[in-house]
Amino acid sequence: MIVITGTRYEAVLEEFNHRKILFPEYGKNREQLQDFVASLTGDEIIVTASLELIDLLLGAFRGEENLVVYSDTGKSLTFGEAHGLRKYLDFDLRGGKTGESSRVSVLFVEGKTDSKFFKAAYKKVFGFKEARRRVPGNLKLIERLFERDNYELVVKDGSYIAVIPSEGNSGVIRNLGNFLRAMEVFEFRVDKIGLAIDIDESREQVMESITGRLSSFSHQKSGGKFIVGSTSVIPLLIGAKIELNPCIEWQKPAVEDFMLAVLQADGTLEKIERAINILCIDLKRKLRPKEVIYLAMAAKKFWGNLEGFYEMTIMRTPRWKMEKILRRGGIYEVMQEVIP
């Protein structure tokens, strides 16, 4: 199957004049579109400007032989790549003019709490502010992301950082590959792509995963980063062990460790130390970092969600303390490098 989007579809269709071509979405509601998709064999060429229909087609047909062709550039994505862009980045596969480019970095992080942590850290330590829906032209094709919670966009002196949660280590690597492919096909660019990843086993394995994903693109390594076209890909590896109360379990480096360090710096851990020790004895095991953070939330009488607690705590921490924690954890300089 071939799905054609964009405004120059007539030029692309000249290559397929012997195939059955359909312009299906006009005047159809969702139920009718579902019936239409169910009637297809997979050999058709479909010209569409309906994201609803595109999503139905991507859900019904898989396989590397199926393509989404963006007619304005004549370049294509596999259905797998297109599905990843739709599901995880709400990418507008119809394309369009992106407008004037700004200095932009994208930082892919593992989860929602991580996105709040990095947004707040960039605001507190580096002086960024909420972009307040002023989405730069480079990011227009994922503009709808920033209307939701947990997808963050901050700006300073005309430079933007988009912080995007990605469902774990593998999600960060997946989003990297799909976003680079989208830049190729839709011909837009960002200055830098940061990858905030916990080192689960070893730094070498994480770097191998990144290198493996980049093998599909023409790239070169420059120091600790990679260059793909005019975009820098910067691994922001979280690998520091932060020493805390012996009743707190430590298994691997994670953003949660930084939050515990913040809570230690503002005296909260000392205030709840007795509760931590009692629970450790009662449960006959060490407490997990997230359990300690929930205790801290109760101690501070914060009744919102975990993401809100991260942001509130960081924004109430003195800048010099927060910078010291980032430096001690080995990520301050890399966070600075991600700034476009």
Side-chain angles (χ1 to χ4, degrees):
M1 176 174 288
I2 296 174
V3 175
I4 300 174
T5 68
T7 59
R8 301 183 59 193
Y9 61 87
E10 290 179 347
V12 175
L13 287 176
E14 291 177 3
E15 303 175 26
F16 304 106
N17 54 18
H18 64 290
R19 297 272 297 275
K20 185 177 182 181
I21 299 167
L22 304 171
F23 296 76
E25 74 265 21
Y26 303 106
K28 291 184 174 66
N29 59 31
R30 182 173 179 82
E31 186 174 334
Q32 289 170 318
L33 288 176
Q34 289 173 328
D35 291 341
F36 167 75
V37 171
S39 72
L40 299 175
T41 64
D43 295 324
E44 296 84 359
I45 294 175
I46 296 172
V47 180
T48 183
S50 167
L51 284 176
E52 184 174 35
L53 177 58
I54 290 170
D55 287 340
L56 290 172
L57 292 168
L58 295 176
F61 296 92
R62 298 294 171 88
E64 297 301 307
E65 72 280 2
N66 297 320
L67 300 176
V68 175
V69 179
Y70 180 48
S71 62
D72 291 36
T73 63
K75 300 175 183 177
S76 63
L77 300 163
T78 66
F79 267 31
E81 292 166 336
H83 181 265
L85 286 168
R86 289 294 299 144
K87 181 176 181 181
Y88 300 106
L89 297 175
D90 205 359
F91 194 93
D92 191 342
L93 296 172
R94 299 170 300 181
K97 293 183 179 179
T98 56
E100 185 178 349
S101 293
S102 302
R103 297 189 304 276
V104 171
S105 292
V106 173
L107 177 61
F108 291 120
V109 303
E110 292 192 18
K112 295 177 180 179
T113 51
D114 292 20
S115 71
K116 292 295 185 182
F117 173 87
F118 281 103
K119 180 189 83 167
Y122 271 110
K123 288 171 64 178
K124 188 67 182 184
V125 178
F126 297 100
F128 279 76
K129 296 181 179 179
E130 304 276 352
R132 301 191 184 281
R133 298 179 185 251
R134 297 197 309 271
V135 178
N138 324 42
L139 299 178
K140 283 291 183 181
L141 296 179
I142 59 170
E143 183 172 15
R144 289 179 61 188
L145 274 188
F146 306 109
E147 298 173 2
R148 307 185 214 158
D149 291 339
N150 303 312
Y151 295 86
E152 311 299 344
L153 186 62
V154 294
V155 63
K156 178 186 177 184
D157 300 329
S159 294
Y160 292 82
I161 300 177
V163 186
I164 301 176
S166 306
E167 298 186 5
N169 276 9
S170 60
V172 171
I173 303 298
R174 176 198 60 232
N175 276 344
L176 167 66
N178 286 340
F179 195 76
L180 287 172
R181 285 287 295 126
M183 288 200 298
E184 281 186 344
V185 172
F186 294 89
E187 294 186 349
F188 69 98
R189 65 175 291 275
V190 298
D191 295 88
K192 300 176 180 180
I193 300 176
L195 310 173
I197 302 178
D198 301 342
I199 299 175
D200 290 340
E201 295 183 18
S202 73
R203 181 177 295 267
E204 290 71 25
Q205 285 188 336
V206 176
M207 294 300 290
E208 284 174 9
S209 296
I210 296 170
T211 304
R213 182 50 61 118
L214 292 177
S215 64
S216 303
F217 304 90
S218 177
H219 70 281
Q220 55 184 327
K221 198 169 188 300
S222 175
K225 64 184 179 183
F226 303 87
I227 308 297
V228 181
S230 58
T231 298
S232 298
V233 177
I234 303 169
L236 198 165
L237 306 186
I238 299 166
K241 180 174 181 179
I242 297 174
E243 299 293 341
L244 296 165
N245 184 303
C247 284
I248 300 175
E249 181 182 35
W250 190 92
Q251 292 182 325
K252 66 182 183 68
V255 166
E256 289 169 348
D257 293 340
F258 290 107
M259 278 307 302
L260 291 177
V262 173
L263 293 169
Q264 186 180 57
D266 71 7
T268 302
L269 288 191
E270 185 178 355
K271 292 177 183 176
I272 63 173
E273 184 175 15
R274 185 167 180 271
I276 291 171
N277 294 338
I278 290 171
L279 279 171
C280 185
I281 294 169
D282 288 349
L283 295 173
K284 298 179 181 178
R285 64 170 175 82
K286 293 184 178 182
L287 271 65
R288 301 181 185 92
K290 192 164 288 186
E291 292 172 331
V292 176
I293 293 171
Y294 281 124
L295 280 176
M297 289 172 67
K300 286 176 174 284
K301 295 181 171 56
F302 181 86
W303 310 118
N305 60 25
L306 196 61
E307 292 86 6
F309 181 69
Y310 272 42
E311 187 168 4
M312 180 204 74
T313 304
I314 290 170
M315 295 309 295
R316 290 183 178 178
T317 300
R319 180 184 178 278
W320 68 269
K321 282 189 178 181
M322 195 65 209
E323 181 177 331
K324 182 178 179 181
I325 289 165
L326 297 178
R327 287 187 183 277
R328 190 174 65 174
I331 65 171
Y332 176 87
E333 289 78 9
V334 190
M335 286 182 66
Q336 195 168 40
E337 190 176 0
V338 169
I339 299 172

